[in-house]
Amino acid sequence: MEQRFDNFKAGLVAVVGKPNVGKSTLINRYLGEKISIISPKPQTTRNRILAILNQDNYQIIFVDTPGIHEPKHLLGKYMVREAESSLEDADVILVMLDATTGIEPEDRHLLELVSEYEKKKTLAVNKIDAINKPELLPILDEVRKIAEFDEYIPISALEGENTDLLLQKIVEFLPQSPPLYPQDQLSDKPQKFHVAELIREKILENTYEEIPHSVAVVVDEFKEREEKNLIYIKAIIYVERPSQKKIIIGHDGKMLKKIGTKARMEIERFLGRRVFLDLWVKVYEKWRRDSMALNRLGYK
Ligand SMILES: Nc1nc2c(ncn2[C@@H]2O[C@H](COP(=O)(O)OP(=O)(O)OP(=O)(O)O)[C@@H](O)[C@H]2O)c(=O)[nH]1
Ligand SMILES: [Mg+2]
């Protein structure tokens, strides 16, 4: 029987904010899946990723975006462009702030930018689990001087405080529309993308300083091995310098093994299949500053 969508709502919700405010944490909470990787390091998300929440009477297409910052190289420029362009297509704009840092220049820039859009806008001040409640008021006062929102909601994406209320407001703001994507689809990215990201997440968890930012991961092969009932995945980890390659491989290959084991476990959970993960590390000098390299590594 053909489904009717008389009372259905659907639309794009751009989730924007400076790096590390908790955009991906919030979206994963709503989806109940790790659609986007998360880390305590800023600039974790690098691509615009659609995460699709399907319910009986609505479909929210969350647009997870890279944190908006002052770019220092071509990769950074690409990331900020991905984030800012998501505002154009959005039906609803959700700006996130971090209650623990207050309003910084990057937040101010973004607030000024979104104030130019005549769309439904919600402000979420995140990480309220980590502050004393009186610290919220000065943040909201400062926001009001720069931009006006339809809703102001303090939340904790980590602990789920007020996240239901925020979701309810987002649904209210959605336009009447039939679903925009098939209702069994969770993301706009292929499985290979999510696999590469899960590997990158494990690298972010185990490396420091410049390395997390210098790493790109590409899945080279993704093959069904029916005789063994598993999926063979070959992935290349690109770094910018031989010294970084040495650190990622580690003494006797121990670091790469640790990254590989942790990544494999998450990938198996994500795919619901057994996986053989074959990891290689290669040096690709200055890839973050090279437009051809960015294209080849999936930033296009
Ligand atoms: N205390 C606290 N920490 C949070 C909360 N939400 C997210 N975090 C933490 O903040 C860090 C960044 O979270 P992400 O979800 O990766 O942030 P993001 O905005 O997607 O960051 P980018 O992708 O770099 O732009 C992680 O360590 C999260 O665990 C929260 O509500 N409370
Ligand atoms: Mg993110």
Side-chain angles (χ1 to χ4, degrees):
M1 200 176 76
E2 195 178 315
Q3 196 180 346
R4 300 193 48 155
F5 295 109
D6 294 345
N7 283 314
F8 204 87
K9 289 178 143 192
L12 275 98
V13 178
V15 183
V16 289
K18 75 183 165 206
N20 218 39
V21 291
K23 300 177 290 297
S24 302
T25 303
L26 180 69
I27 292 172
N28 287 349
R29 166 173 285 279
Y30 287 144
L31 272 280
E33 284 260 6
K34 193 182 278 179
I35 296 294
S36 275
I37 61 166
I38 291 172
S39 94
K41 299 182 171 104
Q43 301 177 29
T44 295
T45 305
R46 289 178 177 165
N47 306 78
R48 159 192 159 116
I49 302 167
L50 303 189
I52 306 165
L53 178 61
N54 291 295
Q55 297 293 354
D56 290 343
N57 51 350
Y58 65 81
Q59 179 180 67
I60 303 178
I61 299 126
F62 287 106
V63 188
D64 193 5
T65 63
I68 293 177
H69 63 283
E70 185 87 47
K72 297 203 172 58
H73 40 63
L74 218 53
L75 173 65
K77 273 197 190 141
Y78 165 83
M79 287 162 60
V80 173
R81 206 165 51 234
E82 287 272 278
E84 294 189 346
S85 67
S86 71
L87 296 172
E88 301 284 335
D89 309 331
D91 295 294
V92 179
I93 296 174
L94 172 59
V95 173
M96 285 181 75
L97 298 178
D98 184 334
T100 66
T101 65
I103 295 178
E104 297 183 312
E106 293 154 312
D107 299 305
R108 196 172 286 280
H109 161 80
L110 176 61
L111 289 168
E112 282 164 5
L113 186 67
V114 299
S115 70
E116 289 165 21
Y117 285 85
E118 304 231 346
K119 301 189 177 196
K120 285 289 183 191
K121 285 178 269 187
T122 302
L123 182 87
V125 184
N126 191 30
K127 307 196 187 180
I128 54 164
D129 56 282
I131 58 152
N132 295 315
K133 294 272 143 76
E135 293 169 44
L136 257 176
L137 277 177
I139 297 178
L140 293 173
D141 281 346
E142 228 182 310
V143 170
R144 285 200 175 90
K145 286 184 203 148
I146 311 170
E148 208 178 309
F149 287 84
D150 296 286
E151 290 288 343
Y152 302 80
I153 306 178
I155 63 164
S156 167
L158 196 65
E159 298 189 345
E161 201 176 339
N162 272 352
T163 49
D164 286 348
L165 175 68
L166 174 59
L167 187 65
Q168 193 188 318
K169 293 295 174 192
I170 292 170
V171 175
E172 272 175 34
F173 293 157
L174 285 183
Q176 294 276 345
S177 158
L180 304 173
Y181 284 82
Q183 285 172 290
D184 55 1
Q185 192 172 335
L186 275 181
S187 129
D188 66 325
K189 296 275 186 272
Q191 280 184 334
K192 272 166 92 164
F193 171 85
H194 293 289
V195 167
E197 286 288 272
L198 289 172
I199 298 167
R200 197 163 63 81
E201 185 184 66
K202 299 305 146 207
I203 299 169
L204 295 187
E205 280 171 11
N206 288 286
T207 59
Y208 304 93
E209 291 167 17
E210 208 40 32
I211 295 184
H213 301 291
S214 306
V215 163
V217 180
V218 174
V219 169
D220 214 28
E221 283 182 55
F222 190 103
K223 275 194 213 141
E224 188 78 38
R225 289 261 166 92
E226 268 173 32
E227 71 285 4
K228 291 195 176 138
N229 189 27
L230 56 70
I231 298 174
Y232 169 81
I233 297 173
K234 178 178 169 193
I236 320 280
I237 298 167
Y238 290 98
V239 290
E240 291 196 307
R241 287 196 294 274
S243 59
Q244 297 172 336
K245 176 173 171 176
K246 230 173 121 183
I247 291 170
I248 292 207
I249 292 175
H251 187 61
D252 288 341
K254 279 206 184 96
M255 179 59 107
L256 191 60
K257 197 157 181 193
K258 182 175 174 193
I259 289 166
T261 305
K262 295 205 161 174
R264 180 180 50 76
M265 279 159 40
E266 286 240 11
I267 295 165
E268 286 183 337
R269 195 169 338 139
F270 185 77
L271 298 175
R273 293 286 309 276
R274 275 208 312 136
V275 164
F276 182 93
L277 185 60
D278 194 7
L279 290 181
W280 295 78
V281 188
K282 288 188 182 168
V283 177
Y284 197 148
E285 271 177 42
K286 298 195 178 137
W287 68 262
R288 284 184 292 170
R289 297 170 190 279
D290 172 348
S291 68
M292 198 151 79
L294 289 182
N295 277 324
R296 286 170 63 183
L297 300 180
Y299 303 109
K300 59 183 164 200

